Amino acid sequence: MRRVTVLIISCAGSFALFSSPLRAEGLQESTKKFVYKNGSGQVTSVRIIHHYWKKPIVHPFAKIDPRLDPKLTRAATFAQERAHADSQAHCWHYVKHALVAAGVINSYPKTANAAEAGDELMRSYGFKRLPIRDPYAAPIGAVLVYGNRTHGHVEIRTKDGFVSDFHSKNRCFYPLLAVYGKFGL
């Protein structure tokens, strides 16, 4: 009888302990904010999000511009095949290789910086600046050049995103400088 009583009391105590919501010592319970102690021991809180976008943000697929050289589409395919999952910080290097491998240009460009890519493509390889300000509106195979005073990035537009040394469904976060294309002969 004594064992049964001890067992019942210990089960009831365990049930009471685990059925109540757990929270940190000295912190209040809230349905609007999640309150916690950060790594330095300060009490802080964040707003609890109850709703989210049920419909994902989807960018439109790129179209093929029949006026552009079809080799640009091949360059986009070459770049996709060689792309990594994450950036290797060699975007202009990979784009150069894709353009040469597809036969869009006949020699390897000399510039080292991505922000200078557009000028060299226009000056030495017959590319034209396209009147496009939205990267998602660029046709497949277009070369997009981004940059600011200290950094630059070059990528090729694919059907579902962008590719350089890595593939991404989202545009680069640097400001778009220009979109370039080479027209078929």
Side-chain angles (χ1 to χ4, degrees):
M1 185 72 171
R2 197 170 211 199
R3 288 184 190 171
V4 174
T5 308
V6 171
L7 183 63
I8 291 173
I9 291 174
S10 64
C11 287
S14 298
F15 181 73
L17 176 67
F18 291 116
S19 66
S20 65
L22 296 176
R23 59 187 157 141
E25 182 181 329
L27 302 180
Q28 74 251 11
E29 189 176 336
S30 172
T31 58
K32 304 267 187 219
K33 292 189 177 255
F34 177 73
V35 181
Y36 64 99
K37 285 188 180 180
N38 63 15
S40 61
Q42 296 174 322
V43 175
T44 187
S45 65
V46 292
R47 188 171 54 90
I48 297 173
I49 299 173
H50 294 284
H51 302 285
Y52 62 94
W53 290 102
K54 292 183 181 176
K55 189 174 181 183
I57 298 171
V58 178
H59 300 290
F61 285 135
K63 307 261 189 284
I64 294 176
D65 187 342
R67 300 172 300 157
L68 291 181
D69 189 344
K71 292 177 184 174
L72 285 171
T73 304
R74 279 201 351 229
T77 304
F78 280 130
Q80 274 186 307
E81 290 171 357
R82 297 174 179 169
H84 297 273
D86 296 313
S87 175
Q88 307 296 303
H90 296 292
C91 58
W92 182 215
H93 178 77
Y94 278 72
V95 169
K96 288 183 210 182
H97 278 291
L99 294 172
V100 171
V104 178
I105 57 178
N106 53 7
S107 64
Y108 197 75
K110 309 260 184 287
T111 57
N113 298 326
E116 301 167 352
D119 293 335
E120 184 174 12
L121 289 173
M122 285 190 346
R123 184 180 61 250
S124 303
Y125 299 103
F127 277 72
K128 302 286 184 210
R129 191 177 197 154
L130 302 178
I132 298 172
R133 298 304 309 155
D134 178 18
Y136 296 103
I140 296 175
V143 178
L144 293 89
V145 180
Y146 302 88
N148 58 26
R149 293 181 184 160
T150 58
H151 295 87
H153 180 66
V154 178
E155 57 193 15
I156 300 174
R157 181 68 162 118
T158 62
K159 181 180 179 181
D160 65 340
F162 306 91
V163 66
S164 56
D165 54 343
F166 70 102
H167 187 270
S168 174
K169 297 216 182 277
N170 300 315
R171 60 160 288 186
C172 176
F173 58 88
Y174 292 135
L176 179 66
L177 295 176
V179 178
Y180 299 93
K182 187 172 184 179
F183 293 95
L185 301 173

